[in-house]
Amino acid sequence: MKKFYWFLVVMAFVFMFDLWVENSDLASSFFHTYIEPYTDKAEFPIIWTILILAGVASYVLDILARKNEEKKELEATLHSEMQMLVMANQQLGAYRMRDILLLLFRSFVQNNPYVLAVQLYEFTLQHQKGDSVIKLNLMDGAIMENVDLNAVHQSYYRFSIQLYRDFVTARSAAERGDFMPFVDFVTTHNRSLSLKREQDLNEKDAIIYAFLLISFDLLEKLFEASFTLFLDPDKVKKLESMKRTGLLRAILLENYSYSFTHTGRNEKSNRQYIAARLRIQDKPYLYVIALDAEILHDANRNRLLDQITEDFENKLQKCLDSVYNGN
């Protein structure tokens, strides 16, 4: 279409020029004065000269246009291939990271007598229509042989977004030294559970109970003192049996490692867990270390729990630094 447009322009110019030359004394004078001396009175019409030059120019422009199109296509192809290479490299990096972490987990399980397993969870937090939803997915892990560990492969925790906002506000204030929002938060929700009949308790109440537990744990860390949750023991048993919330509590604590005990009557009863949040390649994760219940009978159990946590986090940090530095 563009070629046809230029052809019409050239033809119109030639037609107008020919009319001008044939019918204008000025054109005749211009020709004899400025053109005829240089063409040595050649018998070749100037119109054909213009047409030939226009054709040559059109041919050259066409070649340049094709070259430009080929260049654009090549650039688009290279860009596409570059994107594919970047994606492939990211996927390869993710697989490499998981392989290295799995080696770390296996080594840690083998070299620590109380450690039964190490697991890595990916989690997301979404706010949906008045609720907050935390979704947990098991990514990988290492387990000691002959150990029964029914890992939570996927779990959801749904709770009121207002509950979450009040907790985050109270937690932030407490970390700044203002504990009154936390006192109000604990008092309000402890009272609501106390007033509710045992038979009316549901899974949402179990989540509220988890928020209360982690609130008391956080206050104990900040105050370095012990606090007691005033709730009927039968209600506590029912709330703890309705939903396992140890992983949720570890996520809510955010800036600290969290130790909790499995409650139940099977062989996993009193099994101890250590969990904490971390970020890998700008994604939120949760690591979980499962410990044999015998650690609770050790006279130095608190020091052992701290040592295991510190040792694992140091090894994990060195591992991540090594990967990020390309070693």
Side-chain angles (χ1 to χ4, degrees), residues 23-215:
N23 300 285
S24 171
D25 293 336
L26 181 61
S28 178
S29 173
F30 175 83
F31 177 79
H32 291 300
T33 304
Y34 295 103
I35 297 178
E36 190 176 35
Y38 298 100
T39 58
D40 200 23
K41 299 183 179 180
E43 295 294 333
F44 194 79
I46 192 170
I47 296 303
W48 286 106
T49 303
I50 294 173
L51 286 174
I52 291 171
L53 290 175
V56 171
S58 176
Y59 177 73
V60 171
L61 289 173
D62 185 57
I63 291 176
L64 292 175
R66 275 184 289 174
K67 291 287 185 183
N68 192 43
E69 287 295 325
E70 290 175 1
K71 181 182 177 182
K72 288 181 180 179
E73 289 178 4
L74 179 61
E75 288 175 348
T77 302
L78 289 174
H79 180 70
S80 177
E81 290 178 354
M82 185 64 71
Q83 285 182 322
M84 292 174 64
L85 285 172
V86 169
M87 291 176 62
N89 187 56
Q90 289 175 341
Q91 291 176 352
L92 181 62
Y95 286 125
R96 182 167 172 263
M97 175 71 78
R98 289 181 66 174
D99 287 342
I100 292 173
L101 288 175
L102 189 56
L103 287 173
L104 170 65
F105 296 165
R106 287 172 179 167
S107 173
F108 196 77
V109 170
Q110 292 169 0
N111 293 311
N112 289 273
Y114 281 120
V115 176
L116 302 179
V118 179
Q119 299 166 318
L120 184 68
Y121 289 86
E122 183 182 28
F123 73 90
T124 58
L125 169 64
Q126 297 289 327
H127 301 304
Q128 304 171 356
K129 298 180 180 178
D131 283 344
S132 295
V133 181
I134 291 178
K135 177 184 175 184
L136 268 169
N137 281 314
L138 177 65
M139 301 300 294
D140 228 324
I143 304 173
M144 184 183 292
E145 292 183 6
N146 301 318
V147 171
D148 178 23
L149 189 75
N150 296 326
V152 178
H153 289 275
Q154 188 176 86
S155 184
Y156 289 86
Y157 302 98
R158 182 180 292 272
F159 41 87
S160 162
I161 191 171
Q162 193 58 51
L163 175 69
Y164 178 72
R165 286 172 177 164
D166 290 344
F167 172 80
V168 170
T169 300
R171 184 186 64 195
S172 300
E175 289 172 349
R176 295 193 306 269
D178 179 9
F179 299 99
M180 284 310 299
F182 240 142
V183 172
D184 293 339
F185 179 84
V186 169
T187 303
T188 298
H189 294 290
N190 189 91
R191 185 171 182 273
S192 69
L193 292 181
S194 299
L195 294 175
K196 203 164 188 178
R197 296 186 305 172
E198 183 181 336
Q199 59 266 34
D200 294 333
L201 294 173
N202 53 41
E203 194 170 288
K204 286 187 176 181
D205 296 315
I207 297 292
I208 293 174
Y209 176 67
F211 272 85
L212 285 175
L213 285 178
I214 204 61
S215 298

